[in-house]
Amino acid sequence: MEPSDPSSDIHHTRSAKGKIRSSVKWFLVMWIVLIVLGVTGTYYYSNHLQQQMINQLQVHTEHQIDALKSDYEKQLTTISSEVAALQGQVQSFNELLTFTKDNASNKTDNSNKLYTQLSEVKKQLEALQKKMDLLK
């Protein structure tokens, strides 16, 4: 039998410990690299999702603004036509009132009724004018 060399046992033990330490270091380095890659990927993905949400909100907001614009224009057109119709009524009442004043005698006084109707039409016209001013 050959006597064992104590220096070779120490060398063998040291190299085994060195290999274990080296593999542990590589294992830890790989975990750190994986963690860094995961954090970086999460950061970029969250930025991507944020940008997508911002774009969707912009599109949705533009659609709502367009709907409000069309509704506003529709209301403005309706009120303008109502104001024009009331102005026509006021004009016809003024002509009728002028005619009635010219033809009125002491016995019949229909002008009071016309003034009342004219007053009501003017109130409606003023109310529509206020609505139109609010829409502007």
Side-chain angles (χ1 to χ4, degrees), residues 53 69 85 125 133:
M53 287 176 57
K69 277 183 183 178
L125 183 62
D133 289 340

Side-chain angles (χ1 to χ4, degrees), residues 54-115:
I54 288 172
N55 291 340
Q56 287 175 351
L57 283 174
Q58 284 176 341
V59 168
H60 183 68
T61 303
E62 287 173 4
H63 286 300
Q64 284 182 334
I65 289 174
D66 289 341
L68 285 174
K69 277 183 183 178
S70 65
D71 185 46
Y72 171 76
E73 289 172 356
K74 201 181 300 180
Q75 287 179 356
L76 192 61
T77 303
T78 304
I79 289 178
S80 295
S81 64
E82 288 176 2
V83 166
L86 283 176
Q87 283 178 341
Q89 280 183 334
V90 167
Q91 184 63 31
S92 65
F93 280 134
N94 278 337
E95 290 172 2
L96 186 59
L97 185 60
T98 305
F99 177 76
T100 305
K101 278 184 180 179
D102 291 342
N103 294 331
S105 65
N106 290 338
K107 295 180 184 176
T108 60
D109 191 14
N110 291 332
S111 62
N112 212 6
K113 292 179 186 177
L114 288 174
Y115 279 122

Side-chain angles (χ1 to χ4, degrees), residues 2-70:
E2 289 183 31
S4 62
D5 187 14
S7 67
S8 69
D9 286 340
I10 293 172
H11 180 66
H12 180 63
T13 317
R14 285 185 185 168
S15 72
K17 284 183 183 178
K19 286 182 181 179
I20 291 173
R21 285 185 184 167
S22 174
S23 64
V24 169
K25 286 180 184 177
W26 277 107
F27 180 75
L28 290 175
V29 167
M30 290 305 290
W31 269 107
I32 291 172
V33 167
L34 286 174
I35 290 171
V36 168
L37 286 174
V39 168
T40 305
T42 304
Y43 174 76
Y44 284 115
Y45 184 67
S46 66
N47 282 345
H48 172 70
L49 287 179
Q50 182 181 18
Q51 191 62 38
Q52 266 187 330
M53 287 176 57
I54 288 172
N55 291 340
Q56 287 175 351
L57 283 174
Q58 284 176 341
V59 168
H60 183 68
T61 303
E62 287 173 4
H63 286 300
Q64 284 182 334
I65 289 174
D66 289 341
L68 285 174
K69 277 183 183 178
S70 65

